[in-house]
Structures are given as C-alpha cells and as structure tokens.
Amino acid sequence: RYIKGYANVINKAKELGPKAEMAIETSGHCAMKENDYLDDGTYTAVKVIGLLARNNKHSSLLNLIEDLSEMPIEHELRFQVKDESLKTTKSVFDQLCQQVLKHIKDNKINDWVVDEENMEGLRIRIGGKSGAFLMLRQSLHDPVLSLQVESESSEQAEECILQPLLEIVTSGPFQDQLDCTALQEAIK
C-alpha cells in the first residue's frame, strides 16, 4: 500500500520502472504502463472487459471478486479547519497526531497499535487481529483532516475508535480550530 492520491501512485509506479505494470489508487484511478501511465478509466474498463472475454466466457467481474471480504462498517469523516488555512491544517494535524500518540504511549487507549509501515498520515490498528483500523490524514489541497474508519461492527467503531478519538479531539489544544461535527454525528 502506498500513499493516497492518484498522482502519487502513478509517480511511484514510474519510479519503480519495469516492476510496475499498473498503478491503482484506492478511489479507483488506474494507470497502466502500456498506456504510459495515463489515468484513463475507459482504457482500464476496456482492458478488464477484454480479460473477462478471453479468460472465461461464463464468468463476470462479480464472480472474480466474490470471495473477497470487506469490513462491514466503513466511515469517512472530514473535519474542516475553521480558519480555512493550510498552515493551520498542518499544525492541527501535527498536534492531533501527537495527542493520539501520547494517549497510546500513556496507555489511555487500549488496543490501539500504530502501523509503522504506513506511508501517510497516522494509521492505527484496533483490537489485534480484527482488521479494524483508523487512518487520519490531512488534505494537501483543502483545509480538511480526513478520518477513515473500518471495523467489524458499529459498536466496535463507536466504542473503540470514534468515542476515544472524540475525547482526544475535544480535549486537545487545537479543539477551537477544528470542526468535529462529523465525528460527533457519527456517534449515536
């Protein structure tokens, strides 16, 4: 997994050279080496249809992915920085990350483990092997912090991720600079 942003993914593929046949970003952007890493959805769709037609005339794309599983609960929340400044956004993000890491270090939050191999933002695995996680990152273009949450249940998301994070956000030195309405609304 590499950092988000189709330009980042495409540039990394170009950097890797012959090893990277394609670059796919989590939002669906896809660029292939044979098409000079041009982000072209039509080209990608035609390639997938061609593969399906050649490899299995009785199959569908859905059959190919039917054994893959997704976490049942997914949230993507965005927190607006109130003064709409990118400088403040970076400062708030850095402070929030420091607060989260301090809470983990001081054992104020159980079962949060920092993902050291993450390439962007702050990614925390929750509850051992459950697969639940949170990813906090700052937008490079907008005065926004983004929070992705995946968990096995709404209860796990709320109790183990959203509520502890809300407590950190509302008690930190940056609380007046960040609109956390989306986080408050996500908690039932």
Side-chain angles (χ1 to χ4, degrees):
R1 178 174 153 90
Y2 193 63
I3 59 178
K4 282 188 174 185
Y6 69 92
N8 295 327
V9 174
I10 290 169
N11 289 337
K12 183 64 172 181
K14 288 178 179 178
E15 176 187 316
L16 291 171
K19 292 188 252 178
E21 290 294 324
M22 70 174 64
I24 303 175
E25 202 259 349
T26 55
S27 67
H29 291 272
C30 180
M32 297 182 185
K33 181 172 77 173
E34 68 186 50
N35 196 27
D36 199 30
Y37 295 110
L38 180 65
D39 178 23
D40 185 342
T42 303
Y43 185 86
T44 303
V46 168
K47 292 295 286 187
V48 169
I49 291 167
L51 275 169
L52 287 172
R54 281 190 306 278
N55 292 327
N56 191 343
K57 294 179 182 180
H58 305 293
S59 185
S60 72
L61 181 58
L62 293 177
N63 293 126
L64 295 175
I65 63 172
E66 67 187 356
D67 292 335
L68 298 177
S69 63
E70 290 186 46
M71 293 296 263
I73 304 300
E74 295 180 22
H75 296 287
E76 181 150 359
L77 308 175
R78 295 171 62 87
F79 312 123
Q80 187 75 31
V81 174
K82 291 180 180 177
D83 75 357
E84 299 186 357
S85 156
L86 292 178
K87 184 177 178 182
T88 303
T89 303
K90 178 168 178 25
S91 174
V92 167
F93 175 74
D94 291 343
Q95 291 176 56
L96 179 54
C97 288
Q98 288 173 4
Q99 287 293 110
V100 169
L101 294 172
K102 183 175 180 353
H103 275 71
I104 293 170
K105 181 181 173 200
D106 295 345
N107 293 317
K108 293 182 180 177
I109 302 175
N110 294 329
D111 295 329
W112 281 27
V113 178
V114 177
D115 187 346
E116 301 293 339
E117 295 184 25
N118 182 48
M119 309 267 317
E120 66 174 335
L122 180 63
R123 187 175 195 277
I124 311 264
R125 287 179 279 120
I126 313 295
K129 297 181 180 183
S130 75
F133 75 92
L134 71 85
M135 165 79 85
L136 184 65
R137 55 189 285 273
Q138 81 179 64
S139 170
L140 299 177
H141 310 290
D142 299 309
V144 169
L145 301 185
S146 172
L147 173 68
Q148 283 182 271
V149 172
E150 290 191 14
S151 65
E152 295 177 326
S153 68
S154 296
E155 294 78 20
Q156 182 188 40
E158 187 171 324
E159 293 171 19
C160 300
I161 302 172
L162 300 175
Q163 190 63 47
L165 190 60
L166 180 62
E167 290 172 17
I168 293 170
V169 169
T170 56
S171 66
F174 42 80
Q175 64 180 332
D176 294 331
Q177 298 171 313
L178 192 62
D179 180 358
C180 59
T181 303
L183 182 55
Q184 293 165 331
E185 291 175 352
I187 298 173
K188 297 174 183 168

